[in-house]
């Protein structure tokens, strides 16, 4: 996006001629004085362009500054139409061929066509004599055939429309003679046809009519006033038939351009020669005067080479009697470097999109210098340090093109200064600053400030609480840089992520939607997307890992012995047990983790405080010393299990111990946990057993009696002893299987003490009945509790099976 270096461009305008020059020059011819709107010709047809292309290619007519903007393009029809009244006489004066030149500029690609408009003359001017009345003084002695020059008439039109004939009012003395001079002008003379007689006529008035050759023709009239004199006279004679002078433009007022002189052979009044312009253009009249006495032509107005470089005029020299002769003066104006080049911005793509490839044309510049030759040769340059250069195109046109990539995020606008210098001495220069904005393109995706985010929340949080916030930046402009946050759809633990978290689209603040339970899952990961509002939008995403911290909200759960305190969970301790023997073990777990699940065991009450100890953290109950005969048979221990949380939670259980080698030796066993229901049940069972046994024995005796009587071969099958099934279960009946998972089904175990007079039936309900709901089996390994935040990647954890 950054432009690589810049180049300083100096280009000679002259090279421009070589490039792009199109052959398709057009020329049209129209009469002068056409109404504005009149059609000159059809550009579209003549250039072979579709009409619509003219406006899309920004067709326009450029004229040099000294010309008025005479023509326009009608984009609907493709016609060139007259815009301003064209007066051939004003435009071209006496030039035979009057051509207006202008240029047709087309862009994309830049194309230039020269258009020449030949302006034809119409007969819109009448011949005019310089003066309405011309005075002639003629001596009566003048001979027949003597010629007297009078001013010719002038018609601003050209060709046929200019003065073609003169007629003289009928009179007896004079006839008219018209001669054509070499330079095209006429010499109009009155020729004396019959001698004058002062005594008869003092003066006479003759009417001269000049007519042009137009159709219809126009005419002009002047009166020649002839005074008849007594004396003789000579006409003045100019020293040169043609005076040439050269005048630098901008010459100050009062400058003498040239001095003309004519001499008259007469003396006195007859020899006093005066000078005057006999024929002079309106333009020349404004800038020159002719001193009538001295013959000096002086500057009285601004001389500008660029508007008029040449003046032609005719002058008359007259003596006191009105006899005259004429001569011609040509003044050439020389150029001075008085015009600085002018830079015109012909088109500019502003703003330019930042993704414009290098060498994109962003503007077209035209440079004009009104001076001529060297003074009008222009060099153009562009300032350093901008990724643009000027490429010469067709004549005096330059394309402003990019040299590298633009990046609005780095530079959003350029002030490009173009300088044009001419080759005059001293040179003149001018500069123009072009302001170019770079338009945004959605070329930057939002970028998160962090590679990834982590958020910590303690469990049992309030739903709706703020978790953390993410921020992404997009340097593009307006909506292209407006960042909108959203959660990427995903599932966490089988539920949509939106049921866990929500993100504020504008601010990127993440809120919790529900309360988290550390025991349910410890961490999860979501992805937040930042998208801009461009079209098409750009986006990026970031991961947010959420870690749930544990709170000591679970008290220890005692798995064994059942905290219900049922006395049938009785441990047998052999009488011969030595000090330090393992007697039993309290098994407890805590659903929390870390310190909150670090359990310690303590005997808080016991029948004989000195006999048993419990491992602080193992929960193993051992004898502290050898068992002696004096120790009570029944020993009860109340054990407290505490976790290490703040504050700590605890649970207690009772452990029943029986010091005996054989349960049968313990008549008082039932006293350990005397149970009314059990006794009754036992009672009924005994009755039932006795009845069944009695009935069975009686039945056997009867059968035996019958057999004995028949075969007389008595055979004894039973010795009268009662066989009692013995299902001895080890005291640690709550089995823990290999994987550590406790059996969740109901256990129904019964045992009878062999040979006892009373039988104990023990109905064991599910040991986890009240401690744990069947569907929420603990599967947490204490070793897992240690590494809480170690694994940031883990999705909601599955509890691993208890391994103890
Ligand atoms: C360009 O010129 C304008 C007006 O002179 C100015 O306000 C602006 O700061 C300039 N910009 C740069 C990039 O120089
Ligand atoms: C945004 O970028 C798109 C091109 O990706 C462009 O057309 C549009 O103008 C830009 N919007 C703004 C406000 O600059
Ligand atoms: C998230 O960003 C990564 C690269 O950062 C990309 O591979 C992945 O496609 C993005 N995911 C979505 C849904 O946009």
């Amino acid at each position: 996006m950054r432009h690589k270096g810049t180049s300083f461009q100096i280009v000679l305008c002259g090279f421009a001629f070589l490039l792009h020059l199109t052959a398709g020059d057009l020329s049209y011819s129209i009469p002068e004085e056409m109404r504005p709107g009149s059609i000159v010709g059809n550009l579209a047809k003549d250039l072979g362009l579709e009409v619509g292309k003219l406006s899309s290619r920004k067709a326009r007519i450029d004229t040099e500054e000294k010309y008025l903007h005479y023509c326009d393009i009608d984009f609907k029809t493709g016609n060139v139409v007259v815009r301003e009244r064209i007066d051939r006489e004003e435009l071209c004066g006496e030039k035979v061929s009057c051509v207006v030149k202008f240029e047709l500029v087309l862009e994309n690609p830049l194309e230039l066509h020269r258009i020449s408009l030949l302006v034809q003359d119409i007969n819109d001017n009448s011949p005019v004599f310089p003066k309405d009345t011309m005075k002639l003084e003629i001596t009566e002695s003048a001979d027949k055939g003597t010629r007297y020059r009078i001013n010719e008439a002038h018609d601003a039109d050209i060709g046929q429309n200019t003065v073609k004939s003169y007629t003289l009012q009928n009179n007896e003395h004079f006839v008219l003679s018209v001669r054509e001079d070499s330079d095209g002008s006429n010499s109009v003379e009155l020729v004396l046809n019959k001698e004058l007689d002062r005594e008869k006529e003092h003066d006479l008035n003759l009417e001269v009519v000049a007519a042009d050759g137009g159709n219809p023709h126009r005419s002009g009239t002047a009166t020649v006033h002839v005074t008849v004199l007594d004396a003789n006279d000579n006409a003045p004679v100019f020293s040169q038939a043609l005076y040439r002078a050269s005048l630098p433009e901008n010459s100050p007022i009062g400058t003498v351009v040239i001095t003309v002189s004519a001499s008259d052979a007469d003396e006195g009044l007859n020899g006093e020669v005066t000078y005057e312009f006999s024929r002079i253009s309106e333009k020349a009249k404004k800038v020159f005067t002719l001193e009538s006495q001295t013959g000096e032509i002086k500057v009285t107005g601004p001389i500008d080479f660029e508007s008029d470089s040449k003046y032609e005029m005719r002058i008359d020299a007259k003596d006191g009697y009105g006899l005259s002769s004429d001569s011609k003066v040509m003044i050439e104006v020389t150029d001075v470097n008085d015009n600085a080049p002018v830079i015109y911005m012909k088109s500019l793509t502003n703003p330019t999109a930042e993704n414009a490839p290098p060498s994109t044309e962003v503007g077209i510049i035209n440079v004009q210098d009104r001076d001529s030759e060297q003074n009008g040769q222009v060099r153009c340059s562009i300032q350093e340090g901008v990724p643009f250069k000027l490429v010469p195109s067709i004549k005096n046109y330059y394309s402003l093109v990019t040299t590298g990539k633009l990046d609005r995020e780095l530079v959003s606008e350029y002030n490009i200064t173009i300088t044009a210098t001419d080759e005059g001495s001293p040179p003149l220069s001018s500069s123009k600053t072009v302001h170019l904005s770079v338009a945004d393109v959605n070329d930057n995706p939002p970028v998160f400030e962090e590679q990834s985010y982590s958020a910590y929340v303690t469990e049992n949080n309030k739903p709706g609480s703020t978790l953390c916030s993410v921020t992404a930046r997009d340097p593009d402009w307006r909506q292209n840089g407006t960042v909108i946050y959203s959660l990427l759809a995903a599932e966490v633990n089988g539920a949509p992520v939106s049921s866990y978290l929500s993100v504020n689209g504008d601010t990127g603040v993440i809120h919790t939607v529900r309360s988290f339970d550390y025991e349910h899952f410890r961490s999860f990961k979501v992805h937040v997307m930042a998208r801009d509002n461009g079209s098409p939008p750009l986006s990026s995403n970031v991961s947010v890992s959420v870690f749930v911290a544990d709170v000591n909200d679970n008290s220890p759960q005692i798995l064994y012995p059942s905290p219900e305190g049922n006395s049938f969970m009785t441990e047998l301790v052999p009488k011969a047990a030595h000090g330090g023997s393992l007697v039993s073990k309290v098994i407890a777990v805590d659903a929390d983790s870390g310190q909150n699940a670090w359990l310690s065991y303590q005997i808080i009450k016991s029948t004989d405080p000195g006999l048993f100890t419990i491992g602080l953290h193992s929960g193993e109950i051992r004898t502290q010393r050898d068992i002696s005969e004096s120790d009570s048979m029944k020993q009860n221990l109340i054990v407290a299990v505490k976790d290490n949380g703040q504050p700590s939670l605890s649970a207690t259980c009772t452990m029943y111990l029986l010091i005996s080698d054989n349960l049968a030796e313990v008549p008082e066993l039932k006293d350990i946990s005397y149970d009314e229901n059990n006794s009754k049940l036992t009672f009924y069972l005994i009755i039932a057993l006795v009845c069944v046994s009695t009935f069975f024995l009686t039945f056997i005796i009867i059968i035996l009696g019958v057999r004995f009587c028949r075969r007389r071969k008595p055979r004894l099958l039973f010795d009268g002893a009662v066989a009692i099934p013995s299902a001895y279960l080890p005291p640690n009946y709550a089995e823990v299987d290999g994987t550590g998972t406790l059996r969740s089904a109901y256990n129904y175990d019964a045992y009878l003490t062999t040979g006892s007079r009373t039988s104990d039936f023990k109905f064991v309900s599910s040991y986890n009945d009240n401690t744990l709901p069947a569907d929420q089996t603990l599967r947490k390994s204490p070793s897992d509790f240690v590494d809480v935040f170690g694994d940031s990647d883990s999705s909601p954890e599955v509890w691993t099976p208890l391994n103890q």
Side-chain angles (χ1 to χ4, degrees):
M1 310 263 161
R2 195 172 310 201
H3 63 264
K4 293 194 181 79
T6 57
S7 46
F8 184 66
Q9 304 285 328
I10 295 182
V11 190
L12 279 175
C13 297
F15 294 156
F17 287 101
L18 304 173
L19 296 156
H20 286 296
L21 202 60
T22 47
D25 288 2
L26 301 172
S27 65
Y28 298 105
S29 167
I30 55 157
E32 62 172 328
E33 305 288 353
M34 296 270 280
R35 266 195 349 271
S38 308
I39 295 168
V40 175
N42 193 294
L43 267 186
K45 209 171 89 192
D46 297 339
L47 290 174
L49 278 176
E50 284 167 42
V51 173
K53 279 269 160 70
L54 285 174
S55 79
S56 69
R57 290 187 62 186
K58 297 186 191 164
R60 60 171 177 271
I61 284 175
D62 269 348
T63 46
E64 281 179 44
E65 216 179 347
K66 64 180 165 189
Y67 290 120
L68 280 171
H69 203 135
Y70 287 117
C71 292
D72 254 345
I73 301 171
D74 180 351
F75 286 116
K76 282 198 210 105
T77 59
N79 286 333
V80 184
V81 295
V82 175
R83 181 170 180 267
E84 294 257 348
R85 165 177 171 259
I86 308 176
D87 182 9
R88 196 206 63 83
E89 285 73 39
E90 186 186 303
L91 198 62
C92 302
E94 287 173 35
K95 265 190 243 162
V96 178
S97 155
C98 182
V99 179
V100 181
K101 286 186 176 153
F102 47 85
E103 281 156 1
L104 172 73
V105 183
L106 294 168
E107 290 180 18
N108 280 323
L110 188 60
E111 224 175 79
L112 189 92
H113 296 273
R114 295 217 184 90
I115 299 180
S116 339
L117 188 62
L118 178 69
V119 182
Q120 296 159 353
D121 186 40
I122 61 167
N123 191 19
D124 57 343
N125 289 284
S126 302
V128 179
F129 286 96
K131 287 175 185 164
D132 287 345
T133 307
M134 292 174 275
K135 288 198 168 94
L136 272 180
E137 294 175 358
I138 300 175
T139 56
E140 56 181 346
S141 59
D143 294 330
K144 181 182 172 189
T146 312
R147 291 169 173 266
Y148 299 93
R149 190 182 154 273
I150 60 169
N151 293 125
E152 62 171 319
H154 181 63
D155 187 322
D157 296 322
I158 54 161
Q160 272 307 114
N161 296 332
T162 191
V163 180
K164 283 293 169 217
S165 64
Y166 290 90
T167 48
L168 185 66
Q169 178 197 359
N170 266 340
N171 70 94
E172 50 180 329
H173 295 287
F174 293 99
V175 291
L176 204 59
S177 154
V178 180
R179 277 191 328 220
E180 194 152 329
D181 289 348
S182 56
D183 66 348
S185 65
N186 289 317
S187 176
V188 185
E189 288 164 321
L190 294 180
V191 183
L192 193 60
N193 203 25
K194 181 182 173 236
E195 282 87 356
L196 295 165
D197 184 356
R198 195 172 184 277
E199 279 65 48
K200 272 192 189 157
E201 290 160 305
H202 276 279
D203 48 14
L204 40 123
N205 283 321
L206 303 169
E207 193 162 89
V208 185
V209 177
D212 62 27
N215 181 23
H217 68 78
R218 289 165 171 265
S219 60
T221 311
T223 307
V224 182
H225 183 83
V226 179
T227 311
V228 184
L229 295 177
D230 285 334
N232 201 354
D233 192 39
N234 289 304
V237 179
F238 273 104
S239 59
Q240 290 173 357
L242 172 65
Y243 293 89
R244 282 179 186 279
S246 162
L247 176 70
E249 66 171 323
N250 304 335
S251 292
I253 287 171
T255 306
V256 176
V257 182
I258 195 168
T259 306
V260 295
S261 74
S263 54
D264 194 302
D266 300 322
E267 285 183 4
L269 183 66
N270 294 351
E272 274 179 21
V273 181
T274 58
Y275 305 92
E276 61 184 27
F277 290 122
S278 65
R279 187 165 150 190
I280 184 165
S281 66
E282 287 301 312
K283 284 176 188 167
K285 215 184 248 177
K286 285 178 190 152
V287 293
F288 296 112
T289 55
L290 177 58
E291 294 282 328
S292 64
Q293 300 302 316
T294 59
E296 282 176 344
I297 295 178
K298 284 185 176 170
V299 175
T300 56
I303 304 295
D304 184 13
F305 175 85
E306 284 72 38
S307 49
D308 283 293
S309 60
K310 216 178 199 180
Y311 294 94
E312 266 186 43
M313 53 205 85
R314 298 190 82 89
I315 47 176
D316 271 2
K318 249 184 197 166
D319 65 16
Y321 293 113
L323 294 180
S324 66
S325 63
D326 78 335
S327 181
K328 193 170 176 180
V329 176
M330 288 176 75
I331 300 170
E332 273 182 24
V333 180
T334 54
D335 188 37
V336 163
N337 192 21
D338 60 344
N339 290 287
V342 186
I343 300 168
Y344 296 95
M345 201 70 219
K346 291 293 184 184
S347 84
L348 183 65
T349 315
N350 192 18
T352 293
E354 61 176 323
N355 63 352
S359 301
T360 302
E361 183 180 85
V362 297
I364 296 170
I365 287 155
N366 178 236
V367 185
Q368 290 182 12
D369 191 310
R370 299 179 63 213
D371 296 320
S372 36
E373 311 274 304
Q374 289 287 307
N375 295 339
Q377 293 285 313
V378 184
R379 294 185 309 170
C380 285
S381 64
I382 190 168
Q383 106 223 46
E384 279 180 74
V386 290
F388 298 97
K389 66 176 178 182
L390 284 178
V391 174
S393 189
I394 43 183
K395 177 194 158 205
N396 288 355
Y397 280 84
Y398 295 85
S399 292
L400 181 64
V401 301
T402 55
T403 56
K405 283 192 164 183
L406 306 177
D407 186 359
R408 192 202 65 83
E409 285 72 44
L410 287 177
V411 185
S412 63
E413 53 174 23
Y414 291 95
N415 287 335
I416 307 162
T417 303
I418 297 159
T419 308
T421 310
D422 65 26
E423 308 248 284
S425 161
L428 294 173
S429 70
S430 64
S431 64
K432 189 177 189 78
T433 299
V434 180
H435 183 81
L436 185 79
S437 305
V438 181
D440 187 40
V441 164
N442 193 18
D443 55 355
N444 289 286
V447 174
F448 281 96
E449 285 180 344
E450 312 271 334
Q451 296 270 311
S452 65
Y453 291 82
S454 299
Y456 301 90
V457 58
T458 47
E459 61 175 328
N460 308 329
N461 56 299
K462 262 196 218 137
S465 57
T466 301
L467 187 59
C468 66
S469 77
V470 296
T471 311
R473 308 227 174 266
D474 188 328
D476 288 324
W477 180 245
R478 296 261 164 91
Q479 70 255 38
N480 290 341
T482 307
V483 179
I484 301 155
Y485 303 92
S486 58
L487 280 176
L488 279 186
E491 288 206 338
V492 170
N493 228 8
V497 67
S498 57
S499 66
Y500 289 82
L501 298 177
S502 70
V503 63
N504 184 317
D506 297 330
T507 61
V509 174
I510 297 175
H511 299 276
T512 59
V513 168
R514 58 159 78 162
S515 181
F516 299 129
D517 181 6
Y518 177 84
E519 285 70 42
H520 200 187
F521 52 82
R522 295 192 303 170
S523 71
F524 60 94
K525 195 178 197 176
V526 299
H527 283 90
V528 175
M529 180 171 76
R531 181 174 60 83
D532 62 29
N533 224 353
S535 160
L538 297 176
S539 66
S540 59
N541 61 56
V542 75
S543 70
V544 178
S545 303
V546 179
F547 298 103
V548 181
D550 188 36
V551 162
N552 193 20
D553 57 348
N554 290 283
S555 28
Q557 302 282 342
I558 297 168
L559 304 183
Y560 180 82
S562 161
E564 295 307 294
N566 290 335
S567 61
F568 52 78
M569 289 185 167
T570 302
E571 297 283 353
L572 273 187
V573 181
K575 281 180 182 161
H578 295 292
S581 313
L582 178 61
V583 170
S584 184
K585 182 176 162 104
V586 175
I587 301 169
V589 292
D590 192 311
D592 296 319
S593 77
Q595 293 287 335
N596 295 337
W598 199 39
L599 302 180
S600 52
Y601 303 83
Q602 223 179 339
I603 296 171
I604 52 173
K605 198 172 166 212
S606 65
T607 316
D608 182 352
L611 190 50
F612 298 104
T613 61
I614 190 160
L616 183 58
H617 296 299
S618 66
E620 286 172 355
I621 298 171
R622 289 172 189 274
T623 51
Q624 218 166 352
R625 55 174 170 78
D626 296 351
I627 306 280
S628 67
E629 280 302 323
S630 60
D631 287 327
S632 164
M633 233 178 162
K634 294 176 288 176
Q635 296 283 341
N636 293 354
L637 303 178
I638 297 176
V639 176
V641 185
K642 250 185 5 185
D643 62 28
N644 207 21
Q646 276 300 337
S648 76
L649 298 171
S650 63
T652 56
C653 63
T654 310
M655 177 75 82
Y656 301 101
L657 300 171
L658 189 63
I659 301 173
S660 169
D661 289 333
N662 188 345
L663 273 176
E665 292 175 11
V666 191
E668 303 90 345
L669 181 61
K670 61 180 178 187
D671 298 340
I672 293 173
S673 64
Y674 176 79
D675 190 318
E676 186 80 13
N677 293 339
N678 282 358
S679 312
K680 270 189 188 158
L681 181 64
T682 313
F683 178 70
Y684 292 134
L685 280 171
I686 290 168
I687 288 173
L689 193 63
V690 167
C691 290
V692 168
S693 304
T694 310
F695 175 75
F696 184 67
L697 278 175
T698 311
F699 179 72
I700 293 289
I701 289 164
I702 288 167
I703 294 291
L704 284 175
V706 170
R707 288 258 173 145
F708 183 74
C709 291
R710 284 186 188 169
R711 298 187 186 175
R712 298 188 182 264
K713 273 166 116 186
R715 232 175 127 190
L716 193 65
L717 286 177
F718 293 94
D719 62 357
V722 177
I724 296 170
S726 166
Y728 176 77
L729 272 177
N732 222 0
Y733 72 92
E735 283 181 4
V736 175
D737 67 25
T739 63
T741 309
L742 289 160
R743 288 177 298 166
S744 58
Y746 282 85
N747 288 348
Y748 185 89
D749 291 318
Y751 65 87
L752 288 171
T753 49
T754 42
S756 67
R757 284 156 299 175
T758 60
S759 304
D760 282 11
F761 282 89
K762 303 209 170 178
F763 180 77
V764 184
S765 65
S766 170
Y767 54 80
N768 58 9
D769 208 359
N770 297 313
T771 55
L772 288 169
D775 60 337
Q776 203 185 332
T777 319
L778 291 175
R779 299 200 205 108
K780 187 76 179 82
S781 139
S783 63
D784 289 348
F785 294 162
V786 180
D787 172 32
V788 178
F789 297 133
D791 180 10
S792 64
D793 239 6
S794 59
S795 1
E797 288 192 7
V798 176
W799 289 76
T800 50
L802 177 65
N803 212 355
Q804 188 164 341

